[in-house]
Amino acid sequence: MSKTKYIFVTGGVTSSLGKGIIAASLAKLLQAQDFKVTIQKFDPYINVDPGTLNPYEHGECFVTDDGAETDLDLGHYERFLNVKTSQANNVTTGRIYQSVIEKERRGEFLGKTVQVIPHITNEIKERMQLLGESGDYDIVITEIGGTVGDIESLPYIESVRQLIWDLGRENALVIHLTLIPYLAAAGELKTKPTQHSVKTLMESGISADIIVCRTEHELTTDLREKLALFCNVKKEAIIQSIDVDTIYDVPLKMRDEGLDQVVLTKLQLTPKQPLDLSSWKEFLKKLKNPKNKLKIGLVGKYVELQDSYKSILESLTHAGAINETEIEILSIHSVDLEDGNQIDQLKTLEGLIVAPGFGERGIEGKIEAIAYARANKMPFFGICLGMQMAVIEYARNQKGIKGANSTEMEPHCKAPVIDLMESQKNIKNKGGTMRLGLWDCQLTANSKAAAAYQKERIAERHRHRYEFNDDFAKQIFDANFMATGTNPETGLVEIIEYKEHPWFMGVQFHPEYKSTVSNPHPLFSEFIKACLEEKAKKN
Ligand code: GLN
């Protein structure tokens, strides 16, 4: 078997340039030439994983099959490549230090002073090679979070320097992503910040092989030549990454710029098959030429920040494309619904999603919105907390169960219809202790869920502590409102459906983590289909 090749992606000038999308796009191009590729992300913060981070801080937390709480970039990797990631694909400084400190406590360093170099860097290097050593991949792309020059990134940059030396320059390369700002007053694109950031990288002993330049305007030949000259790279290794309408355009743009060719030449690889992006292009064609339009409301409490619900928004993009429908999302802050003023917004919608979430803030607004969708026969899709709120709404409004609530919001409520699982009750640590990852679910025949999946046994990813409280099953469930999916071992409720309705479903799991470009999630797709059917009926 040939040796695994390594590509490192670093960032300069500013954060938020989209390293994850560039990494995923390059991986897509390599995958389309039949290379087996994976992407991993190394994040320089001290949290052991992003599970304990507020979405305002870091956007959505993406959950993998094996229950790892990871950076949202892993979502992009899975959506672009349609391959699964795992805990090994996301490492933070916190995890590195935790592991080194545990080794120190076990006496594994044989009395040595434990230091950043070599102990922390060795741990980083080992983890950087973990997936490569599995023998499953031809190419491993490693994205280094943060921006070069940050104090926090230094051990990672040093590890990359050492690794390139260990692996040999023909087996490893560095792509540096920077910003070329446009000064409107001067009417000019500026290269100086890029020159500085490439120099900062050099001070750490790394010369970038390829520079990807984020820009709002086309780079001229002169500018490319200047950058090549100052930054020690060939002109073809200056890659323009111009702003695009959709992230799904980026692989094609990178192909036009020749990014994959430069990479393959540098790594001394020849394509295993001619590039085949036909299904990707088919998806883009549908995405860009919609025949219908829908307005869908997304109710949540972090709606100000797009990244908080990244996977849901992308799942809707996939489901929209497959249904040839443009989806306009109206983000509704759940708190705003609580005073009743914003309820008018709901009237303009053709479908409603109630998002996952934690804590009390805004939940009454979510319940109001669900009551509206149920009464007005508007297609409704509740995800995780959204399902829990749908149960509370039905219990209170249809079954007259006073004080129905979740013990997360009201620990001593009269009717805890959503409650902590027994196994969760004595857990003290917050990090990594929720019900996480893939769990089986048995679907009821003839349910909308079974119709969507076209099978009766599924497995979906979870991230929650609270559950439907089975003590209330008899009081709440009836011929119209029922559990249509349950965990086969524990009997825990996974899906609820309300029958007297075009499409009303709540799921305790997170279907959004499994939707990809080549495999749009069936529940999102069926939800959109139902919205279209209802819209057609009204017109
Ligand atoms: N807060 C709820 C729970 O912990 C729902 C979590 C979620 O929506 N991901 O059960």
Side-chain angles (χ1 to χ4, degrees), residues 356-359 383-385 388 408 463-466 508 510:
F358 295 85
I383 302 175
C384 208
L385 185 68
Q388 298 175 355
E408 179 182 4
R463 183 175 188 249
H464 58 101
R465 249 178 248 289
Y466 293 81
Q508 186 58 81
H510 290 264

Side-chain angles (χ1 to χ4, degrees), residues 196-435:
H196 279 298
S197 120
V198 169
K199 226 173 247 163
T200 308
L201 203 55
M202 272 180 191
E203 281 163 16
S204 306
I206 296 179
S207 46
D209 298 279
I210 298 171
I211 299 172
V212 176
C213 307
R214 271 300 296 273
T215 174
E216 290 171 12
H217 300 272
E218 296 275 342
L219 305 184
T220 60
T221 311
D222 276 0
L223 190 137
R224 287 177 194 251
E225 279 167 359
K226 184 173 169 192
L227 270 176
L229 182 70
F230 279 103
C231 301
N232 262 351
V233 299
K234 294 213 171 81
K235 205 179 96 194
E236 2 11 307
I238 301 288
I239 305 288
Q240 161 184 296
S241 170
I242 201 154
D243 292 357
V244 282
D245 299 338
T246 154
I247 54 169
Y248 299 109
D249 271 332
V250 179
L252 299 179
K253 289 280 177 206
M254 290 301 106
R255 174 66 180 181
D256 293 345
E257 286 285 308
L259 176 61
D260 57 317
Q261 283 106 321
V262 182
V263 163
L264 292 179
T265 309
K266 182 83 205 2
L267 295 176
Q268 300 176 5
L269 291 170
T270 40
K272 294 186 175 182
Q273 68 167 40
L275 182 90
D276 178 9
L277 282 176
S278 47
S279 58
W280 191 268
K281 286 183 183 160
E282 195 53 38
F283 161 78
L284 272 176
K285 201 167 122 197
K286 285 191 174 159
L287 182 67
K288 292 184 173 181
N289 300 289
K291 298 202 172 89
N292 302 296
K293 195 177 169 181
L294 283 175
K295 189 169 173 189
I296 305 290
L298 176 65
V299 179
K301 70 169 185 179
Y302 312 108
V303 289
E304 302 90 338
L305 190 73
Q306 281 266 318
D307 275 357
S308 313
Y309 303 113
K310 195 85 205 159
S311 294
I312 293 181
L313 297 176
E314 296 306 325
S315 300
L316 285 168
T317 303
H318 307 155
I322 203 171
N323 285 295
E324 295 178 86
T325 300
E326 181 189 341
I327 297 178
E328 180 194 337
I329 309 279
L330 180 70
S331 298
I332 304 173
H333 205 297
S334 42
V335 172
D336 292 343
L337 288 168
E338 288 184 346
D339 55 18
N341 294 337
Q342 307 286 329
I343 215 90
D344 281 351
Q345 283 189 318
L346 299 176
K347 293 187 185 141
T348 68
L349 302 175
E350 279 136 354
L352 181 76
I353 294 183
V354 174
F358 295 85
E360 198 195 344
R361 196 167 67 99
I363 66 139
E364 294 303 326
K366 289 185 171 176
I367 295 171
E368 287 271 320
I370 296 167
Y372 179 89
R374 194 166 65 82
N376 292 283
K377 303 219 182 296
M378 177 189 291
F380 162 77
F381 193 14
I383 302 175
C384 208
L385 185 68
M387 179 210 102
Q388 298 175 355
M389 295 304 115
V391 168
I392 295 171
E393 191 278 322
Y394 197 76
R396 285 187 192 170
N397 297 341
Q398 192 72 30
K399 297 287 169 165
I401 304 177
K402 291 213 172 64
N405 211 337
S406 162
T407 50
E408 179 182 4
M409 322 304 167
E410 200 186 336
H412 304 293
C413 60
K414 267 212 211 112
V417 297
I418 305 293
D419 197 8
L420 270 188
M421 272 183 297
E422 220 29 65
S423 57
Q424 282 281 345
K425 286 190 177 154
N426 292 318
I427 289 177
K428 297 264 176 318
N429 277 355
K430 288 270 186 280
T433 56
M434 280 188 253
R435 184 179 172 212

